[in-house]
Amino acid sequence: MTLPTSAIDHPWGAPPSARYDELARPFRAVFARIREGAVARDLAHQLPHEEIGWLREAGFARLRLPVERGGADASLVELFALLTELGAADTNVVNALRAHFGFTEDVLLAPESPWRTHWLERLAAGELVGSGFSETGDAKVGAFSTRLRATPRGLRLDGRKFYTTGSLFADWINAVADDDEGQPTMISVPRQAAGVQVLDDWDGFGQALTASGTATFEDVAIDPLWVNPSKQRFPYASPYFQTVHLASLAGIARASSDDLAQRVRERDRSYSHGNAARVSDDPQILQVVGRGRSAAYGASAIVLQAAGALQRAHDAHLDGALPDEARAAAAAASHVEVDQAVSVVTRLVLDASTELFDALGASATLRTHGLDRYWRNARTISSHNPRVYRERQVGAFAVNGTPPPTFYRVGRS
């Protein structure tokens, strides 16, 4: 007996909320269009400007905003389920929007202020925000060579950033710089402002279309309203940004398992030493397909579990009746849960994106098929915030009760 495909298509588990399918419906057609061109974009190094424009038009960037601001008031679990679906279409697009969603979280959790009102209005208008945090060069850990200076002409920004993910697609760059007192300060800079230049010079073998290149700021005039009055990001920022990567990885696993199943289904050449006349009936090949699909199921489930921990940290932060200790405990728990997720999801997806070739012939390695992009993208994503440290942090918590660090910095010691 063959079950109707419509009854069991993509059984990744129950949706994360009763309204999820309704919430996702307007975006799924866009995701499908994005996926159709993913291989061609990868081969031609074509940045997804148009594709991100489709998402902007559909209101995807406003998901977390309240309904009265044109958003969907999506929960974090709903958001990360949607990012997983988008990741199955193209993880470059997910990472290009990673900074935008993080900045949105900063705004939503900020106390009432002119800064918060200003940025809620801009986000509601559909404006996008890219990243300008990481630096290369001689900057020390915890310090930035980029400077925000008070001058007789007003505030001025000078410096150079790397990994400016998403900024070429954005209206604003959310950057960080040391002020005159040496304190890190977050500033949102118009990408088209005089003195701002963004280059697509990221040369990694994966995630090549995220525009994660270099941004330079030369005597850029800064409006005080662009300066975040807080010196801290939202309390679950580190695990939040890592969970975006996990959603990308889960999306890769889903897409690669779909591709593999389709190619095995359609394959009409078999080996003389195989186990069946048709590859689609070969039990060893079916085992490879099943292992890849199971990896996608496991990765997707773990992402939703991690997103639930972020939601609890969010809710605790906004609950004025909770003592500070309880809010801090919820934030710390989100760090631990995401750290526990990183190693497992990474291993599942890296293995699955390698083993898919065991079920196919040598022709599957042709660049025009684009199957190699799954491993390349997964390996590149997994190299951010290395998993070896996450495993150590989980062990330190389990044995000694040591909480993971709240924020991560890179630089010279």
Side-chain angles (χ1 to χ4, degrees), residues 72-122:
D73 200 19
S75 71
L76 287 170
V77 179
E78 291 170 336
L79 172 65
F80 282 100
L82 283 166
L83 290 177
T84 299
E85 291 196 36
L86 178 56
D90 189 342
T91 53
N92 288 283
V93 178
V94 176
N95 278 15
L97 294 173
R98 181 172 175 253
H100 173 84
F101 282 115
F103 180 78
T104 300
E105 212 69 12
D106 275 327
V107 173
L108 290 174
L109 270 69
E112 291 294 337
S113 67
W115 181 86
R116 183 178 190 272
T117 301
H118 173 80
W119 288 106
L120 278 175
E121 291 172 353
R122 291 198 171 276

Side-chain angles (χ1 to χ4, degrees), residues 277-346:
R278 288 186 56 82
V279 176
S280 58
D281 295 324
D282 189 317
Q284 281 187 286
I285 302 302
L286 294 178
Q287 181 180 10
V288 176
V289 175
R291 192 159 57 237
R293 193 174 179 90
S294 298
Y297 177 83
S300 299
I302 292 171
V303 167
L304 295 187
Q305 184 73 9
L310 300 177
Q311 185 68 54
R312 289 188 290 277
H314 167 276
D315 295 346
H317 179 79
L318 295 181
D319 188 347
L322 283 180
D324 291 344
E325 294 80 2
R327 284 194 286 270
S334 71
H335 285 70
V336 173
E337 288 202 40
V338 171
D339 278 359
Q340 291 172 165
V342 166
S343 183
V344 180
V345 172
T346 300

Side-chain angles (χ1 to χ4, degrees), residues 103 118-119 122 127-132 148 155-157 166-175 186-198 215-227:
F103 180 78
H118 173 80
W119 288 106
R122 291 198 171 276
E127 297 184 16
L128 294 179
V129 181
S131 177
L148 179 66
L155 293 173
R156 291 292 187 271
L157 182 69
S167 290
L168 269 177
F169 312 112
D171 305 290
W172 298 83
I173 303 172
N174 188 32
M186 289 175 282
I187 320 103
S188 296
V189 187
R191 186 176 65 82
Q192 301 288 1
V196 176
Q197 183 180 30
V198 182
T216 57
F217 307 96
E218 185 175 349
D219 197 37
V220 181
I222 300 297
D223 188 318
L225 200 55
W226 303 342
V227 180

Side-chain angles (χ1 to χ4, degrees), residues 223-236:
D223 188 318
L225 200 55
W226 303 342
V227 180
N228 189 335
S230 173
K231 297 294 184 183
Q232 298 291 333
R233 306 208 71 172
F234 55 101
Y236 49 92

